[in-house]
Amino acid sequence: MCQKFVRDNPPSKITKFNVAALASNAYVKALSNSNLKVSFQKAGIYPLDRLADPVENFKPSEPYVGLEPTPVSAAEQSDVDSYFKAAESVIDKKKEQNKTAINKTLSSIVSGQEITRSDICQEIFSKAQSQPLCEPPAPKKRKNN
């Protein structure tokens, strides 16, 4: 329905104002009497047809037997190991840089912890006392029309 709408009305877009109408039209067409009758008939529900679905569809699943893993040579394994060790060292260096560059802010003090805990309250108060107060922004002037 959406594709038909866009094709029939090129300059128009699907918006929140017309999506309900498009969805309800598609819903009504999908649940028409003829669609429901054909669906029940093909599934073998009414009229009852035990051969509508082949028996193979109801067999239990079989376990997947995958291929044997290919052996990896020692040289290839050492290349993979060295790659991951190098990547880990880069990550560790970034973590160390981030630890030294962390800017203590209120969110880093609280960070998902209960702000009612006494130790967190003490940290918040000490942080507030150590930082200078900032002045509120000046009110914006309104233009008179």
Side-chain angles (χ1 to χ4, degrees):
M1 294 301 288
C2 293
Q3 290 174 349
K4 184 177 185 295
F5 174 79
V6 171
R7 192 173 48 245
D8 294 344
N9 307 302
S12 300
K13 293 182 180 179
I14 297 175
T15 65
K16 63 182 178 183
F17 302 109
N18 59 8
V19 73
L22 291 170
S24 65
N25 288 343
Y27 186 76
V28 168
K29 284 188 179 184
L31 292 179
S32 67
N33 287 340
S34 60
N35 270 357
L36 291 174
K37 285 179 183 177
V38 168
S39 299
F40 276 85
Q41 184 179 7
K42 285 193 175 189
I45 297 172
Y46 186 83
L48 184 61
D49 181 11
R50 295 187 188 274
L51 302 176
D53 269 333
V55 177
E56 294 84 35
N57 289 351
F58 298 103
K59 284 202 279 186
S61 62
E62 297 175 4
Y64 174 74
V65 180
L67 302 173
E68 292 296 319
T70 56
V72 178
S73 69
E76 290 174 333
Q77 185 62 39
S78 67
D79 288 344
V80 170
D81 291 342
S82 63
Y83 170 79
F84 282 109
K85 284 181 183 174
E88 286 174 356
S89 67
V90 169
I91 292 170
D92 290 340
K93 286 179 185 177
K94 285 185 179 181
K95 284 182 182 177
E96 289 173 14
Q97 290 173 353
N98 287 342
K99 283 182 183 177
T100 58
I102 287 179
N103 188 8
K104 276 277 194 179
T105 61
L106 184 60
S107 63
S108 68
I109 293 171
V110 177
S111 66
Q113 300 178 29
E114 301 168 2
I115 61 171
T116 55
R117 282 187 10 206
S118 60
D119 57 330
I120 300 295
C121 287
Q122 290 299 324
E123 281 189 63
I124 292 172
F125 287 129
S126 63
K127 180 69 174 174
Q129 289 172 352
S130 67
Q131 286 185 343
L133 294 176
C134 60
E135 295 187 22
K140 295 182 180 179
K141 294 181 181 178
R142 292 186 181 181
K143 292 182 180 179
N144 292 337
N145 290 338

